[in-house]
Amino acid sequence: MTDLVEALCEFNKERKFSRKGPLCVALVTTQHARNKGLPLDSESLLTGGGGQVLGLGKGAVQAVLKRHGITRVLAAEGGRTSRGSIGNMREYVVFLNNLADGGVVDLDAVEAFWIERVHEFFSAKPFKIKLDASRSLRTLVRHVISQAEERQRKAPGMQYAGAVLQHLVGAKLDCALGNGSFEHNSFSTSDAQTGRAGDFFIGDVAIHVTTAPGEAIVHRCQDNIDDSHRPIIVTTARGLAAAEVLAENAGLGERIDIFEVEQFIALNLYELGKFAAEGRRVAVGDLVTRYNEIIEDVETDPSLKIEFRQ
């Protein structure tokens, strides 16, 4: 069972099946597998004209959801009008057939996995930013992080604040340097797993982003120094003092640059906006757009996105 869930998680992450269109495809195609058995023939799951996925519609999707006590409508057309539905179906059929090659597939467990993703989709409410000319840009950044911290308090074990912090910094760097200057990774991917020098590595600089600096991150900075890299720690206002103390205790106080995230991002927004009111509005909009693109690319939880209101 563990292997099955891990395989589903990997497929979901790689193919980005957490949006409503792909979720509808997954639910209906899984139902076809329950009815017909595995392996499936993807060509037999097309309508007569070959232009749509067979049975993909609101009624079929809602019938599956109803079995699990869900009455909310996932998609008005059941994903029928979603671009890419046929391609998604073909990819998912290949995935299911590959599972079947390894033995009997527990389709109840498969369906339960997608139902859990539906629950996540319905509960996903983006963080919100409202540009108010009377408020500082630091306050804007602080407001997003505080929303993430509040959500984290309500869902122990989920690291919303850390993920938001990392990807805000990543989006800020992309806006300043241009896309493609460095690699983005999911928040759950640790430096140790990948051998990365930091959350972001640009030139000879290793950037570590954290809400709660500890001795481990200082050790990573020491490794950076040993490798002739320049370490930077970006953290919250609360984490700033802790990081400075830890760096001093390790004898690295003058060798690590430590920045508070609100200032780190806000100052760059002023610069990108050329210190003009309209420029700031555009800079904030660009930051949010890039942040949401990163979430789409490397995370599976759509609730990490930010809604920008002007």
Side-chain angles (χ1 to χ4, degrees):
M1 180 67 72
T2 301
D3 290 344
L4 175 60
V5 173
E6 288 179 354
L8 284 162
C9 286
E10 186 66 22
F11 175 84
N12 184 37
K13 179 180 178 180
E14 288 183 357
R15 305 302 181 183
K16 299 179 176 63
F17 258 53
S18 290
R19 291 167 290 181
K20 62 182 180 181
L23 282 174
C24 290
V25 170
L27 291 171
V28 169
T29 306
T30 301
Q31 184 60 44
H32 281 306
R34 295 169 71 102
N35 294 336
K36 301 171 181 287
L38 292 173
L40 285 171
D41 175 14
S42 59
E43 297 306 312
S44 71
L45 299 186
L46 296 174
T47 55
Q52 292 180 335
V53 176
L54 184 68
L56 185 61
K58 177 182 175 182
V61 172
Q62 293 306 127
V64 177
L65 297 182
K66 186 177 180 180
R67 290 206 304 267
H68 297 270
I70 300 174
T71 57
R72 292 179 64 179
V73 176
L74 179 58
E77 296 294 329
R80 182 181 294 276
T81 59
S82 175
R83 290 182 298 175
S85 289
I86 292 178
N88 286 333
M89 179 272 290
R90 292 185 190 277
E91 289 182 343
Y92 185 52
V93 166
V94 170
F95 169 74
L96 288 177
N97 288 346
N98 286 339
L99 287 179
D101 287 342
V104 177
V105 179
D106 185 347
L107 291 173
D108 286 341
V110 172
E111 183 172 284
F113 174 85
W114 294 118
I115 290 297
E116 185 61 29
R117 303 291 79 73
V118 172
H119 282 300
E120 289 175 357
F121 178 85
F122 282 137
S123 64
K125 296 180 180 179
F127 301 111
K128 293 179 171 58
I129 284 182
K130 181 173 176 58
L131 191 58
D132 184 341
S134 68
R135 303 178 73 188
S136 70
L137 290 183
R138 289 189 65 175
T139 301
L140 200 72
V141 177
R142 183 183 309 152
H143 182 53
V144 175
I145 295 172
S146 65
Q147 289 179 65
E149 290 173 338
E150 177 61 24
R151 184 180 294 178
Q152 190 167 304
R153 280 192 286 271
K154 294 178 179 178
M158 302 297 292
Q159 301 298 317
Y160 291 111
V164 168
L165 200 69
Q166 175 178 311
H167 296 312
L168 272 177
V169 170
K172 175 262 196 196
L173 293 170
D174 271 347
C175 289
L177 302 175
N179 296 359
S181 298
F182 55 90
E183 182 182 3
H184 295 273
N185 292 276
S186 67
F187 176 71
S188 60
T189 304
S190 69
D191 296 349
Q193 284 178 293
T194 60
R196 292 180 296 161
D199 292 304
F200 308 104
F201 189 69
I202 308 167
D204 68 338
V205 177
I207 302 175
H208 306 271
V209 184
T210 178
T211 59
E215 291 184 357
I217 204 165
V218 175
H219 291 323
R220 294 290 294 153
C221 290
Q222 179 65 72
D223 291 340
N224 296 150
I225 293 168
D226 293 342
D227 292 334
S228 300
H229 301 147
R230 296 185 65 90
I232 289 176
I233 296 175
V234 181
T235 186
T236 61
R238 288 191 299 272
L240 185 65
E244 289 176 339
V245 169
L246 288 167
E248 286 291 341
N249 290 344
L252 301 175
E254 296 184 356
R255 305 197 67 182
I256 303 174
D257 281 310
I258 303 172
F259 297 101
E260 187 268 323
V261 67
E262 294 173 20
Q263 186 174 15
F264 188 70
I265 294 176
L267 180 57
N268 202 210
L269 289 174
Y270 275 109
E271 293 168 342
L272 290 169
K274 302 187 186 303
F275 295 89
E278 176 61 17
R280 288 193 293 277
R281 184 191 66 78
V282 173
V284 173
D286 289 345
L287 174 74
V288 173
T289 296
R290 183 60 192 135
Y291 170 90
N292 286 337
E293 289 172 348
I294 294 168
I295 296 299
E296 186 78 17
D297 287 341
V298 304
E299 302 289 356
T300 59
D301 183 353
S303 74
L304 288 170
K305 289 185 176 181
I306 295 174
E307 178 182 312
F308 179 36
R309 296 179 178 178
Q310 303 183 50

